[in-house]
Amino acid sequence: MNIISIIMSAGKASVDVALYTLIPIMVVMLCVMKYLEAKGVLDFIVRHTTPLLKPLGITGLALFALIQLNFVSFAAPLAALAIMEKRGTSDRHMAATLAMLFAMGQANAFYPLIPAGLHWGAAILISICGGILAAASTYHLFGRKLSGVALRDEDEGISHSEAKPGLISIINNAGSDAIRLALGSLPMLILSLSVVGILKEAGGVELLSRVLSPVLARLNISEVYILPALTKCLAGGTAYYGVVSDLIAKGLYSAHNINASAGLLIQTFDLPGIGIFLGLSTRFPRLFRFAVPGILLGIALRAISHSLLF
């Protein structure tokens, strides 16, 4: 096993993700978010929605992240998280937001599977319900010992400053922030993909498949889910879609398989997702352990809902 080759391959894949996926999406989304911030729209939304969403542990900015994840891409909420981090969202609310985002489905996996038979409306609704459950349980139960005090005044937006930035300044600042945040996610992303590569080369994936096959047989679960599940956990949503597309083309994966497993397999709680999201801030890894139980609860709700419906 050539470990250096595996690391170099993981580095190349990570740089490709950062340069051609994260940076383009984050530049556009951060430009939009910062423009709305400069115009006072974000402050208006935060002031009027946070009191309504507060019992669920969701802030107004977290609502943006929810919409972006389900309707744009897995990378889109990074812009909202960056704004929340800059504004000093409390540890308790941030942990709830992380739990919500990890438990929900991602648009870049939902949309391509619609032609293959995915019931998009039901998938989105169940995704949002799972995310809300993850956020509420983390805020009120698993992360209740975290501080609920904001590090800074979240309502003190850029609209309160004396000089408002112009459009060109907003674009330049958003672009530099997007590049910095995307590159900041590279270390954890490279490490996670290196682990995946080493496991594959060592035969860990094949061994795990052989171990799981008898268990799945007893649970009356088809073995066709093994490869997509392992790919999703180890390599992320894009790789999962690639594997599923190949299985569909071969006639081994049906619309029923897609819908029945969507609640469990279409989410951001995988090694690349964890690496990308936790790389945004130094405090996110510390908050992550409080969010994990809520994440699992939200994903469980989604998985059960899909299995019962389909």
Side-chain angles (χ1 to χ4, degrees):
M1 178 169 55
N2 191 339
I3 295 181
I4 299 301
S5 177
I6 293 172
I7 294 174
M8 291 180 65
S9 178
K12 182 178 183 299
S14 300
V15 171
D16 285 343
V17 170
L19 290 181
Y20 302 114
T21 300
L22 296 182
I23 288 179
I25 293 175
M26 287 187 65
V27 166
V28 174
M29 297 308 301
L30 265 178
C31 284
V32 172
M33 295 289 289
K34 285 182 176 290
Y35 181 79
L36 294 177
E37 183 183 38
K39 294 299 182 181
V41 176
L42 287 189
D43 297 305
F44 177 84
I45 292 174
V46 168
R47 283 195 302 269
H48 290 83
T49 62
T50 296
L52 300 176
L53 299 173
K54 191 174 181 180
L56 300 174
I58 302 173
T59 65
L61 287 174
L63 181 62
F64 267 98
L66 181 151
I67 294 170
Q68 290 169 335
L69 181 63
N70 284 280
F71 295 95
V72 182
S73 166
F74 82 96
L78 296 175
L81 286 176
I83 298 293
M84 292 175 70
E85 176 67 9
K86 188 189 79 170
R87 291 192 170 197
T89 299
S90 71
D91 285 349
R92 194 173 177 186
H93 278 105
M94 191 63 83
T97 301
L98 289 174
M100 177 187 73
L101 294 177
F102 278 119
M104 290 192 299
Q106 52 198 92
N108 56 292
F110 278 148
Y111 290 131
L113 288 174
I114 293 175
L118 176 70
H119 289 270
W120 177 79
I124 288 291
L125 181 60
I126 294 172
S127 170
I128 293 173
C129 290
I132 291 174
L133 175 62
S137 60
T138 299
Y139 184 81
H140 291 290
L141 183 60
F142 307 117
R144 65 186 183 278
K145 294 183 179 179
L146 293 172
S147 173
V149 179
L151 304 183
R152 289 179 291 279
D153 185 3
E154 290 179 280
D155 291 330
E156 187 180 350
I158 201 168
S159 60
H160 296 164
S161 61
E162 294 181 0
K164 295 182 179 180
L167 181 59
I168 300 300
S169 176
I170 290 173
I171 293 174
N172 290 335
N173 289 335
S176 61
D177 286 347
I179 293 172
R180 175 179 56 81
L181 293 171
L183 294 181
S185 70
L186 274 177
M188 292 192 70
L189 188 56
I190 291 173
L191 285 174
S192 64
L193 292 183
S194 296
V195 170
V196 171
I198 292 172
L199 284 175
K200 286 182 177 178
E201 288 295 322
V205 174
E206 291 78 7
L207 176 61
L208 189 57
S209 297
R210 289 198 297 270
V211 170
L212 291 176
S213 294
V215 177
L216 293 177
R218 289 191 176 186
L219 296 174
N220 197 29
I221 299 176
S222 174
E223 293 183 11
V224 74
Y225 294 116
I226 293 178
L227 182 58
L230 291 178
T231 302
K232 169 61 185 172
C233 292
L234 299 177
T238 302
Y240 160 80
Y241 171 68
V243 168
V244 168
S245 298
D246 185 56
L247 292 175
I248 292 172
K250 294 178 180 178
L252 300 176
Y253 215 73
S254 66
H256 168 74
N257 296 132
I258 293 172
N259 286 289
S261 63
L264 181 63
L265 298 184
I266 302 180
Q267 27 77 12
T268 57
F269 191 49
D270 49 52
L271 282 179
I274 291 171
I276 290 170
F277 277 84
L278 298 192
L280 277 178
S281 170
T282 54
R283 63 170 172 152
F284 284 5
R286 173 175 59 85
L287 301 177
F288 180 65
R289 65 187 181 92
F290 296 97
V292 169
I295 295 168
L296 296 177
L297 192 60
I299 293 175
L301 173 65
R302 294 183 58 218
I304 292 171
S305 299
H306 274 270
S307 63
L308 292 177
L309 281 176
F310 304 103

